[in-house]
Amino acid sequence: MDGTTGMTTGARTVEVRYFAAAAEAAGRDAERVEVPADATVGGLLDLLAARHGDALGAVAARCALLVDGVLHRDRDEPVGTPARVDVLPPFAGG
């Protein structure tokens, strides 16, 4: 296990899409990212923050993830074997 990201090896590539403040902080709307097979929500968010810096780290701390359309909020929850991960910051309103 990597002490920095909370993930181990056995990597695969997934599409990560960023929305609203997360896209602004990442400097892009989408990218392909290599993630370990046992990635957790928190580990993935930490990996993305390490890749894109403090601005994304601050936004990611408040984000939820849609993993192949299923909402994941618990940092310890495994993300499984996603094809696509959407990074969703809090939105104003409803």
Side-chain angles (χ1 to χ4, degrees):
M1 181 176 289
D2 178 331
T4 305
T5 62
M7 298 183 285
T8 60
T9 58
R12 65 188 182 289
T13 302
V14 298
E15 177 186 10
V16 177
R17 299 187 311 176
Y18 301 99
F19 293 87
E24 185 176 328
R28 65 192 70 219
D29 294 329
E31 67 182 321
R32 299 204 46 85
V33 176
E34 190 172 291
V35 299
D38 63 347
T40 63
V41 169
L44 178 56
L45 290 173
D46 291 347
L47 176 73
L48 296 174
R51 187 175 186 144
H52 294 290
D54 293 338
L56 184 61
V59 172
R62 300 182 318 270
C63 286
L65 297 183
L66 276 183
V67 180
D68 288 335
V70 177
L71 181 63
H72 288 59
R73 289 183 187 251
D74 182 350
R75 286 188 58 87
D76 295 325
E77 186 175 1
V79 295
T81 55
R84 184 177 60 226
V85 174
D86 296 329
V87 181
L88 303 171
F91 292 92

